[in-house]
């Protein structure tokens, strides 16, 4: 039985990853912070819960594991320092493979400054260099859940609008959280994925097709509004950045820019490697917004 150690198991993605791994018959060790209120729920999901931190006795907790998955989220202290601590513990425990918390557009095609959160992830990969542990990034494009949330400033369900930057013709990658988790579990149980990024997308749509799929699935009209060109979006990001007190005030637009500019498009896709997973289309996903 494959044994998988999951850090960030209490998070939006991590919880689904745990469930997907259990469904696939893996032995799951879920790391939660000491005193976490989520321990019982993860136990009920079938995980062996380990209470601890990213700094104390991690290697002991990882002993005998085949793979470590990180679904951590946070600033550079978590994404760089925390994940390097995970990697060092994996090395010490002899765990051969780690899946870091990448789960994004193709961050390896971006330059420093394009996206502050993805910069941290590339920094972590630089620190992983030279390790005997083989790293597998799971790249999924954007979560459909996030792309339809108000903070992305694309879909406004209350006012019935769909706002987009660019000409709306650039293909973009969309995957639900549950499908990303299902793919991550499949990748974790696939030793041949070791040492390279795996690119997976539930649906590939231009912004215009994304708009049409949301209308079709939800049965709701969303008035399209073109906000400006891709360069105008870059200018808006610069403007917000110049007055921001925190990256959270502009990073959402940096993700959108990475998509609509085409710079971080996933290609080629590896979906065919996991034919047992039939991912949710955006049209199917949007049915949850029916009134
Ligand atoms: N592609 C996309 O559209 C998209 C969208 C959103 C997220 N993501 C990615 O998905 C991954 C997971 O994100 P998420 O939204 O699921 O994150 P989340 O819900 O915020 O969960 C973060 C997890 O990290 C844990 N954590 C944070 N700091 C920690 C620390 N110092 N020590 C131990 N545990 C710590 C949290 O534990 P507690 O519960 O104890 O705080 C939680 O389990 C990230 O790589 C994120 O960038 C991708």
């Amino acid at each position: 039985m494959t044994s998988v150690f999951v850090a960030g198991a209490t998070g939006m993605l991590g919880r689904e990853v745990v469930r997907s791994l259990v469904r696939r018959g893996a032995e799951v060790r879920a790391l939660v912070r000491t005193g976490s209120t989520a321990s019982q729920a993860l136990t009920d999901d079938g995980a062996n819960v380990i209470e601890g931190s990213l700094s104390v006795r991690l290697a002991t907790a990882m002993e005998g594991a085949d793979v470590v998955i990180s679904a951590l989220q946070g600033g550079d202290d978590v994404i760089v320092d925390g994940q390097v601590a995970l990697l060092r513990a994996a090395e010490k425990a002899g765990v051969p493979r780690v899946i870091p918390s990448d789960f994004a557009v193709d961050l390896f095609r971006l330059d420093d400054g394009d996206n502050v959160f993805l910069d941290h992830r590339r920094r972590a990969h630089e620190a992983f260099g030279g390790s005997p542990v083989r790293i597998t990034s799971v790249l999924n494009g954007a979560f459909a859940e996030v792309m339809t949330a108000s903070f992305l400033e694309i879909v406004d369900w209350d006012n019935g609008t769909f706002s987009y930057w660019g000409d709306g013709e650039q293909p973009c990658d969309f995957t639900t959280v549950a499908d990303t988790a299902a793919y991550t579990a499949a990748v974790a149980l696939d030793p041949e994925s070791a040492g390279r990024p795996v690119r997976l997308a539930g649906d590939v749509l231009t912004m215009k097709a994304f708009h049409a799929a949301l209308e079709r699935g939800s049965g709701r009209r969303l008035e399209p509004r073109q906000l400006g060109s891709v360069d105008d979006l870059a200018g808006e990001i610069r403007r917000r950045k110049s007055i921001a007190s925190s990256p959270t005030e502009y990073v959402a637009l940096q993700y959108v820019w990475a998509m609509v500019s085409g710079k971080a498009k996933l290609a080629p896709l590896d979906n065919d490697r996991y034919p047992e997973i039939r991912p949710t289309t955006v049209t199917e996903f949007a049915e949850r917004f029916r009134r």
Side-chain angles (χ1 to χ4, degrees):
M1 183 187 273
T2 305
S3 175
V4 188
F5 182 97
V6 182
T10 56
M12 173 174 69
L13 177 64
R15 185 86 194 273
E16 289 294 332
V17 168
V18 167
R19 290 176 174 152
S20 294
L21 286 165
V22 170
R23 270 198 295 274
R24 282 184 172 254
E27 187 254 330
V28 183
R29 299 181 207 174
L31 178 71
V32 306
R33 294 195 236 214
T34 306
S36 171
T37 54
S39 296
Q40 188 57 50
L42 282 161
T43 304
D44 293 345
D45 285 344
N48 299 313
V49 172
I50 297 167
E51 293 202 359
S53 75
L54 293 174
S55 49
V56 184
R57 288 193 292 279
L58 267 181
T60 310
M62 284 180 191
E63 260 165 32
D66 298 289
V67 53
V68 169
I69 299 175
S70 165
L72 294 168
Q73 179 64 308
D76 56 355
D77 56 329
V78 175
I79 296 301
V80 185
D81 304 340
Q83 293 202 113
V84 169
L86 278 180
L87 183 85
R88 298 289 168 245
E91 288 171 352
K92 206 169 160 192
V95 180
R97 293 191 290 135
V98 167
I99 298 175
S101 196
D102 291 337
F103 308 111
V105 295
D106 196 336
L107 57 98
F108 302 108
R109 295 178 60 192
L110 293 177
D111 293 303
D112 288 348
D114 283 342
N115 182 303
V116 58
F117 285 0
L118 300 182
D119 289 351
H120 295 154
R121 285 161 171 78
R122 282 196 313 282
R123 224 42 8 89
H125 279 271
E126 282 164 23
F128 297 160
S131 173
V133 176
R134 302 185 76 196
I135 308 293
T136 303
S137 295
V138 174
L139 301 174
N140 63 284
F143 288 159
E145 290 84 347
V146 169
M147 288 300 284
T148 49
S150 59
F151 66 90
L152 258 278
E153 303 176 31
I154 295 172
V155 187
D156 184 336
W157 292 108
D158 294 334
N159 292 309
T161 58
F162 179 92
S163 303
Y164 65 98
W165 298 88
D167 63 7
E169 302 290 355
Q170 167 61 45
C172 304
D173 305 298
F174 303 88
T175 313
T176 66
V177 173
D179 289 339
T180 302
Y183 278 124
T184 303
V187 170
L189 302 185
D190 168 17
E192 286 178 22
S193 68
R196 64 181 191 88
V198 181
R199 298 177 174 85
L200 303 152
D203 215 344
V204 180
L205 300 171
T206 65
M207 276 292 158
K208 285 181 178 168
F210 179 51
H211 171 229
L214 291 178
E215 286 196 331
R216 199 163 46 242
S218 69
R220 291 162 70 169
R221 166 98 182 117
L222 293 167
E223 186 62 33
R225 299 192 318 181
Q226 205 228 14
L227 300 176
S229 67
V230 173
D231 284 346
D232 292 335
L233 172 56
E236 175 60 10
I237 293 167
R238 278 195 300 275
R239 188 190 70 75
R240 292 195 195 185
K241 200 172 172 179
S242 70
I243 54 170
S245 53
S246 151
T248 55
E249 292 167 35
Y250 58 85
V251 72
L253 288 191
Q254 290 188 321
Y255 280 106
V256 174
W257 180 85
M259 295 176 77
V260 299
S261 66
K263 188 166 177 179
K265 174 82 186 75
L266 301 179
L269 291 175
D270 296 301
N271 289 32
D272 290 350
R273 197 175 171 85
Y274 307 104
E276 73 280 14
I277 298 173
R278 198 203 59 83
T280 313
T281 64
V282 170
T283 302
E284 290 164 344
F285 166 79
E287 286 171 12
R288 70 181 63 186
F289 298 108
R290 281 191 174 267
R291 281 200 276 235

